[in-house]
Amino acid sequence: MTAEEPYLVQPASGVYAYVQPDGGWCLNNAGFVSDGGRTLLIDTAATERRALALREAVVAAGVPLPRTVVNTHHHGDHTYGNAVFAPEALILGHDNARTEQIAAGHQLELIWPATDFGSVEITAPDLTYNDRMTFHLGETEVRVIHPGVAHTTGDSIVFLPRQGIVFTGDLVFAGGTPFLAMGSLAGSLRALELLRSLGAQTVVPGHGPLTDPSAYEATERYLRYVAELAREGRAKGLSPLEAARAADLGEFAAWRESERLVANLHRAYAELAGEPEGAPLNILAVLQDMTVMNGGTPILCHA
């Protein structure tokens, strides 16, 4: 169920963002950077068909197929297409992204059994890093930075300092609701500070259209709203679901996937209880609560 076809945006010479509308569940963004001789790809896609379409878009742009793929985190919408580019491409991710991807396996097929994911071979990063690393593609410097626990425990930011462009992965959802179930609220706020410090003017979010640093402010307002809601709800003895159902989303009501509020409250409650950032939640319970928030209808995979 797609609103429209994926499209390419070229924010700088040799830099491409691959945007998949409408940016909802499983419709992520990818991107690639090329000096004409070598290409680095940022993320893949949720289904075999979509990963093959991404591959065709790289070829259509007139650049070589990637020799390196950077995964911004382990979630299947950003990694299920890895096998379409391997073994010709080396897959890179944070240490934790490899561990998480192997542990998650074919999780998306379990959550969305009716979706045609095609033939997906789980292909975890071959090369992992701990804190940061740098690629040099001709004159283009590509910095890969781990922000700490944020959207997941294994996130990567991809920053092009000379071009002032950052690929945030799912630290930013443009027009969509953040999702903290596998990460940290406090860590997500720290990650936004890191993103601000980079000074990029063009922001390629994990989902949704290209944006600018104002997206950080909007995301931060939402995260602080969730934190306050959690403090109030927990003080009143409300469950995350009860707190979410009673909440007024205000300016955030128009964002996609508003049902994620309850997932984010589960994370905020865990942190208020002193749980470590990124400690596993009961994802089945979180999914069930999101279904309730979605009017009793299971959340839909848009891919």
Side-chain angles (χ1 to χ4, degrees):
M1 62 174 269
T2 57
E4 50 188 292
E5 289 302 304
Y7 62 90
L8 271 186
V9 181
Q10 192 174 358
S13 177
V15 183
Y16 302 81
Y18 183 80
V19 180
Q20 296 194 92
D22 60 357
W25 287 105
C26 285
L27 285 179
N28 68 303
N29 296 335
F32 50 100
V33 183
S34 184
D35 66 352
R38 291 173 303 155
T39 301
L40 177 145
L41 177 68
I42 302 148
D43 284 334
T44 55
T47 69
E48 181 185 26
R49 179 179 67 81
R50 287 182 173 277
L52 289 168
L54 171 59
R55 191 178 190 274
E56 287 168 15
V58 174
V59 172
V63 302
L65 285 169
R67 283 170 41 182
T68 310
V69 175
V70 179
N71 286 155
T72 60
H73 59 291
H74 76 280
H75 287 157
D77 51 335
H78 297 256
T79 62
Y80 266 16
N82 285 358
V84 165
F85 298 93
E88 294 78 14
L90 183 78
I91 313 294
L92 168 83
H94 185 262
D95 296 338
N96 293 344
R98 174 180 167 83
T99 306
E100 287 173 323
Q101 194 184 340
I102 292 167
H106 289 270
Q107 191 176 55
L108 295 193
E109 288 93 326
L110 300 176
I111 297 172
W112 290 294
T115 297
D116 180 10
F117 286 97
S119 175
V120 172
E121 182 185 336
I122 301 298
T123 307
D126 313 283
L127 179 66
T128 64
Y129 77 100
N130 178 257
D131 182 44
R132 57 182 58 208
M133 66 187 306
T134 305
F135 288 89
H136 298 275
L137 281 174
E139 296 297 308
T140 297
E141 181 184 340
V142 181
R143 297 181 191 169
V144 182
I145 305 163
H146 175 54
V149 180
H151 175 62
T152 67
T153 72
D155 295 314
S156 291
I157 293 164
V158 181
F159 175 48
L160 312 179
R162 188 166 65 85
Q163 291 87 350
I165 299 167
V166 65
F167 292 81
T168 68
D170 286 358
L171 302 178
V172 175
F173 290 79
T177 304
F179 186 59
L180 311 174
M182 298 178 192
S184 166
L185 195 157
S188 292
L189 287 167
R190 288 196 302 272
L192 289 172
E193 284 303 308
L194 172 59
L195 283 167
R196 278 195 193 96
S197 75
L198 298 177
Q201 291 306 301
T202 301
V203 176
V204 184
H207 295 252
L210 267 65
T211 183
D212 58 40
S214 66
Y216 307 153
E217 317 307 323
T219 303
E220 180 176 349
R221 284 198 305 276
Y222 176 84
L223 295 177
R224 296 201 182 281
Y225 161 79
V226 171
E228 186 57 32
L229 209 57
R231 278 192 293 272
E232 292 174 0
R234 197 163 174 267
K236 293 175 183 172
L238 301 179
S239 70
L241 180 58
E242 288 165 340
R245 294 186 83 171
D248 174 7
L249 278 168
E251 69 169 300
F252 313 114
W255 287 4
R256 294 183 312 272
E257 301 87 47
S258 61
E259 70 277 359
R260 289 178 182 165
L261 174 63
V262 72
N264 298 335
L265 284 170
H266 272 278
R267 174 56 64 194
Y269 272 51
E271 290 184 8
L272 286 171
E275 290 285 323
E277 294 178 6
L281 300 179
N282 181 337
I283 290 299
L284 188 59
V286 170
L287 288 169
Q288 286 170 339
D289 279 359
M290 283 198 292
T291 298
V292 174
M293 290 296 292
N294 202 36
T297 306
I299 53 175
L300 283 174
C301 173
H302 291 205

